[in-house]
Amino acid sequence: MNIILLGAPGAGKGTQAKRISEKYKIVHISTGDIFRENIKSGTPLGVEAKKLIDKGQFVPDDLTCQTVESRLSNSDCKNGAMLDGFPRNLYQAEFLKQITNIDKVINIAVPLECLMARLTGRRVCRECGESFHIDSLNGETKCSYCSGELYQRDDDNEEAVATRLAIYTTKTQVLIDYYEKLGVLKTVDGSKEKSDVFKEIEVLLD
Ligand code: AP5
Ligand code: MG
């Protein structure tokens, strides 16, 4: 089964993807995570991507599509994969349609005005990737799941988040209609508690 997780920056794609991949044993492919791994290891893709990601802008379609096509050709995807953060515009959606079939698209809907605070207050575990918010951390700097160090992403500052949200509105939001017309779209309420959002997703996947 191939699943797409659609949603604005900060909607909870990564949070829910982690839970889905643990429960349903589906490979989680996050283009953002792949780019950050490349940035960390200093590959040419990472060097190119960092200049854009830090400003909240998209990585060019050709680089992004090549990255996804190559990742989907790995043997661990032969029974399906869950895409988080791809596609993000109509070009990428059309590209994906040429290379694979899509069974379900889960749109995590959250009012955009909630997302600036979610993202500027986010802290991510370097080890297991779990996300937290400073409001619930009470000054804690280690992950409550694995004791890994928590850090703030370079694109989680006000300026970059504002750009990411604006680009979501102009480029990505159209994909809701696109997948609705293809009859594969389901929407969950991403403003609920994380565990309640996951319960809605479980109903769609069980
Ligand atoms: P990417 O890493 O995908 O960033 P994003 O889309 O901006 O989304 P985020 O990862 O910030 O948010 P999320 O929805 O995963 O939310 P999370 O679960 O962490 O991409 C980064 C960059 O890479 C892009 O800006 C672009 O430059 C480039 N890129 C990637 N893909 C690309 C593509 N296809 N084309 C071109 N460029 C591309 O949750 C956020 C926070 O909210 C956390 O603190 C979390 O704890 C909290 N939270 C989650 N759920 C809830 C809830 N239900 N209630 C309260 N808080 C919650
Ligand atoms: Mg994410």
Side-chain angles (χ1 to χ4, degrees):
M1 178 160 62
N2 287 314
I3 303 174
I4 294 171
L5 286 186
L6 207 59
K13 302 181 296 295
T15 301
Q16 298 303 328
K18 198 164 184 295
R19 287 156 177 73
I20 296 167
S21 108
E22 278 161 15
K23 173 161 179 188
Y24 297 95
K25 313 283 176 237
I26 304 174
V27 178
H28 172 203
I29 300 175
S30 155
T31 38
D33 286 348
I34 296 175
F35 293 141
R36 282 184 289 277
E37 280 154 22
N38 276 273
I39 291 171
K40 200 169 156 192
S41 42
T43 66
L45 171 63
V47 172
E48 185 62 29
K50 183 166 174 56
K51 294 181 224 158
L52 298 157
I53 291 180
D54 283 0
K55 288 189 277 187
Q57 290 167 0
F58 278 4
V59 174
D61 284 337
D62 56 343
L63 287 178
T64 305
C65 290
Q66 267 170 34
T67 301
V68 171
E69 187 171 23
S70 143
R71 181 65 188 83
L72 283 175
S73 69
N74 280 13
S75 59
D76 61 350
C77 298
K78 69 176 187 302
N79 295 323
M82 173 178 40
L83 290 165
D84 155 5
F86 184 93
R88 257 175 225 244
N89 59 23
L90 285 169
Y91 178 89
Q92 294 179 8
E94 285 295 321
F95 175 84
L96 186 64
K97 207 163 139 199
Q98 306 303 318
I99 61 166
T100 191
N101 63 311
I102 296 300
D103 301 290
K104 283 195 173 125
V105 177
I106 301 176
N107 175 38
I108 306 178
V110 182
L112 293 189
E113 59 272 20
C114 304
L115 298 175
M116 176 61 81
R118 268 201 196 182
L119 289 175
T120 51
R122 171 170 57 185
R123 298 294 181 271
V124 185
C125 175
R126 276 195 204 282
E127 302 302 323
C128 73
E130 185 67 39
S131 281
F132 300 87
H133 195 277
I134 43 170
D135 287 350
S136 53
L137 281 170
N138 299 318
E140 185 52 71
T141 57
K142 301 276 184 211
C143 173
S144 55
Y145 294 94
C146 73
S147 303
E149 185 203 354
L150 302 182
Y151 79 104
Q152 181 169 27
R153 269 171 46 175
D154 289 341
D155 60 346
D156 276 350
N157 57 73
E158 268 190 38
E159 204 181 339
V161 172
T163 303
R164 287 156 64 197
L165 291 171
I167 295 179
Y168 169 77
T169 309
T170 54
K171 305 277 185 207
T172 312
Q173 220 165 14
V174 290
L175 296 182
I176 296 174
D177 272 357
Y178 177 90
Y179 285 115
E180 177 97 69
K181 286 192 182 116
L182 291 178
V184 288
L185 185 87
K186 299 282 178 199
T187 294
V188 296
D189 180 356
S191 60
K192 291 183 180 170
E193 288 287 314
K194 293 175 188 179
S195 56
D196 291 328
V197 181
F198 187 57
K199 279 185 198 147
E200 280 197 36
I201 293 175
E202 284 177 303
V203 171
L204 301 177
L205 297 181
D206 278 343

